[in-house]
Amino acid sequence: MTPKRPLVIAHRGASAYAPENTLAAFELAVLQGADMLEFDLHLSSDDQPVIIHDDTLERTTTGTGPVRHLSLRELKRLDAGSWRGHAFRGQRLQSLQEVLERFRERVGFAVELKAGSSRYPGIEDRVVSLLEIYDVVERAIVLSFDFAALAAVRARNAGVRRVALIEGVRVPENITAVVPEGTTAVGLSARLVTERRVHAARRAGLDLYVFTVNDPARMGRLIDWEVTGIITDTPDVLRRHLRVSET
Ligand code: G3P
Ligand code: MG
């Protein structure tokens, strides 16, 4: 029997090679054969879901201060590429809408809510609405460390696949103990992946995603364990690995 191969999920795009969460990184990820683009969301001051990892602008843009303090129009003026080199100058922050519109026919989406309504009122509704409008519910997963946000997504549209993210030091071997009832998929930090945890997830019938894996040897083990998806900065490396393990 051919083993089920894991989904190749590009962490913030092909972020090993291009500025994370930009079109440059997303286009490259598609070119490298990613099945899904992973990206992170915060809300702008005018309540638009914007793709950026940190809640502040300093690290990856020419702006300063919290993302939440600027409107989408103001955020679009910032440069989100030059911190990774001259060749990427002019890359812009993207709204969720822009990315769904551009890539909807080409790739799936792993949408990470950095926070739910407790911090960004109504974000779950906005995100689910956009997934519905662009008709990508089937090809999307929504991930979060914020389990209340996942519950709100479920309440809004139970057909949206949700992934409870887990990291930290006090995680038991039986990971089902730390996720809410009704969870169907977990995303485990690579640091926490052990064969026992993988089996615990499988026994409970959970889909299992692992982040962030760039080491080929580790990729190999996860492929053998038939995890559902591997989130990586190097989709090309994972793709190559999959080709080798399929032959
Ligand atoms: O979506 C999984 C992974 O991206 C979570 O970690 O900090 O890279 O968003 P982080
Ligand atoms: Mg993320």
Side-chain angles (χ1 to χ4, degrees):
M1 206 175 81
T2 329
K4 272 213 313 236
R5 79 151 176 89
L7 292 168
V8 177
I9 305 176
H11 183 240
R12 314 181 195 175
S15 59
Y17 314 108
E20 64 184 56
N21 286 327
T22 63
L23 289 183
F26 296 150
E27 289 289 358
L28 185 58
V30 173
L31 212 66
Q32 293 182 347
D35 298 301
M36 286 184 162
L37 305 175
E38 188 270 352
F39 50 77
D40 312 285
L41 292 183
H42 292 275
L43 276 193
S44 63
S45 65
D46 47 351
D47 291 332
Q48 300 300 317
V50 175
I51 298 178
I52 180 168
H53 180 270
D54 302 358
D55 61 1
T56 51
L57 295 161
E58 283 80 355
R59 183 176 64 85
T60 58
T61 79
T62 46
T64 55
V67 177
R68 187 60 162 156
H69 286 184
L70 297 189
S71 66
L72 180 59
R73 181 163 172 236
E74 289 164 331
L75 291 168
K76 288 302 275 187
R77 295 189 179 141
L78 306 176
D79 186 306
S82 50
W83 68 285
R84 284 291 300 264
H86 193 71
F88 297 111
R89 226 176 85 186
Q91 290 291 316
R92 301 287 160 193
L93 291 175
Q94 300 298 307
S95 68
L96 174 61
Q97 181 166 356
E98 287 174 301
V99 163
L100 295 182
E101 180 144 12
R102 183 178 179 116
F103 291 98
R104 61 194 291 202
E105 308 287 347
R106 295 194 274 157
V107 70
F109 304 100
V111 181
E112 185 183 345
L113 300 182
K114 277 296 174 203
S117 276
S118 57
R119 180 160 183 200
Y120 297 130
I123 188 170
E124 302 91 346
D125 265 11
R126 281 182 174 270
V127 169
V128 173
S129 292
L130 286 167
L131 296 178
E132 290 170 349
I133 289 166
Y134 288 98
D135 199 17
V136 293
V137 167
E138 298 288 318
R139 54 165 67 199
I141 54 177
V142 174
L143 311 91
S144 194
F145 291 105
D146 179 342
F147 297 163
L150 295 178
V153 167
R154 183 187 192 182
R156 172 67 178 68
N157 180 342
V160 175
R161 283 178 290 160
R162 289 150 279 112
V163 181
L165 294 174
I166 303 171
E167 67 181 354
V169 281
R170 279 218 267 266
V171 176
E173 289 291 328
N174 177 14
I175 51 176
T176 60
V178 293
V179 293
E181 235 183 270
T183 299
T184 54
V186 292
L188 204 55
S189 158
R191 280 187 284 275
L192 293 175
V193 175
T194 60
E195 200 160 5
R196 282 175 67 184
R197 288 198 177 103
V198 171
H199 287 145
R202 183 151 306 135
R203 262 199 314 278
L206 298 174
D207 284 345
L208 179 63
Y209 297 83
V210 182
F211 63 94
T212 301
V213 184
N214 299 328
D215 168 44
R218 189 171 272 207
M219 285 174 180
R221 275 197 301 281
L222 295 172
I223 294 167
D224 290 343
W225 291 340
E226 297 183 26
V227 301
T228 315
I230 299 176
I231 300 175
T232 176
D233 300 329
T234 56
D236 56 337
V237 174
L238 179 52
R239 266 283 171 197
R240 266 200 303 279
H241 217 304
L242 286 171
R243 265 200 300 278
V244 171
S245 58
E246 273 160 18
T247 52

